[in-house]
Amino acid sequence: ADNREPFEVSVSEDGLEAAIRLVGDMTENMSVEALKTMLGIKHQIVYGLADDVSIELFVRQAAFKKEKFIIARGNPAKSGRNGFIKYLFESEQSRFGKELASGRFDYRDRGEIPNITQGTVLAEKIPAIQPINGITVFGSTIEAPIPNDVNLDCGQGVEISKDGLKAVAAVNGRPDISITGKITVFPEKIIKGNVDFRTANVKYSRDIILHGS
């Protein structure tokens, strides 16, 4: 007796789609349930099977001998998104100078030194969006990569809101951000050394402390 099954079964490389095609003689008494059982036992296809009515209609028509029928679909993994910090102020270091009417650039003129008031929101944390794992037609999990999250890093003169999502100025003064992302608010402008080209033109509405000759 020929024990070969009448179906050719193929599964996509990523395991997210399974198709069947009739290659032999279909036994008239083979039920949809029997077909699904065969897929599970012989091919381990157990997840995302098509509904019974769709399978029945396709199996009973002549096209089944010519075309593949998608018998099961898995769910692809959905990527998340890394968390990040959105800074809401312009630091002094980010200013490169002022363009003059002549078209030249005055690198010493960086405008007014940023000056904010207590309670000003300086930065917001945009939390990471968690991914959703996928599942193959075999019922195995497709692991989605875990995104990186970040936390607000605050120094003196800055407080973090209770929900941990905002950095708020605790004092009036000059906001600053370090190369590592730490946010600080200084109550005065401190210049270490003499006022010269390197310090640029100094414009500040609060106290200025000079450490120089």
Side-chain angles (χ1 to χ4, degrees), residues 17-211:
E17 189 174 276
I20 59 173
R21 185 170 65 89
L22 186 65
V23 293
D25 294 325
M26 178 74 175
T27 56
E28 292 185 5
N29 60 352
M30 179 177 240
S31 66
V32 171
E33 197 60 39
L35 172 59
K36 290 162 70 175
T37 299
M38 179 267 299
L39 288 170
I41 294 175
K42 291 190 175 182
H43 300 280
Q44 293 76 52
I45 297 172
V46 296
Y47 180 83
L49 291 166
D51 63 87
D52 290 359
V53 173
S54 297
I55 297 174
E56 181 77 31
L57 287 172
F58 200 86
V59 167
R60 301 307 171 192
Q61 61 180 307
F64 192 37
K65 295 185 178 181
K66 302 176 183 178
E67 302 173 7
K68 289 183 177 181
F69 174 65
I70 304 303
I71 192 72
R73 295 183 191 275
N75 288 331
K78 295 182 179 179
S79 300
R81 187 199 64 201
N82 291 336
F84 62 95
I85 304 297
K86 181 180 179 181
Y87 296 99
L88 304 176
F89 67 95
E90 184 180 16
S91 67
E92 185 182 354
Q93 287 81 359
S94 67
R95 300 183 177 187
F96 296 100
K98 179 180 179 181
E99 186 176 3
L100 303 176
S102 63
R104 294 174 55 246
F105 229 79
D106 184 354
Y107 292 98
R108 293 175 299 172
D109 190 347
R110 298 181 187 175
E112 294 284 344
I113 295 171
N115 185 26
I116 51 87
T117 57
Q118 181 180 359
T120 300
V121 178
L122 301 171
E124 294 180 350
K125 171 185 172 178
I126 310 301
I129 294 177
Q130 295 305 311
I132 299 174
N133 289 337
I135 186 167
T136 70
V137 296
F138 304 116
S140 56
T141 299
I142 303 172
E143 296 283 349
I146 298 174
N148 296 320
D149 204 4
V150 292
N151 290 311
L152 289 162
D153 187 9
C154 299
Q156 71 178 73
V158 183
E159 296 175 342
I160 297 179
S161 60
K162 290 182 180 180
D163 60 9
L165 298 178
K166 292 182 175 66
V168 182
V171 296
N172 299 335
R174 175 180 60 88
D176 184 69
I177 179 171
S178 71
I179 58 173
T180 61
K182 176 177 281 190
I183 305 166
T184 307
V185 173
F186 297 106
E188 64 276 312
K189 169 68 176 175
I190 300 175
I191 297 177
K192 296 181 179 179
N194 298 322
V195 175
D196 55 20
F197 178 83
R198 289 168 295 182
T199 61
N201 298 337
V202 179
K203 301 175 185 177
Y204 190 52
S205 62
R206 295 181 61 82
D207 294 337
I208 297 176
I209 298 176
L210 298 177
H211 291 174

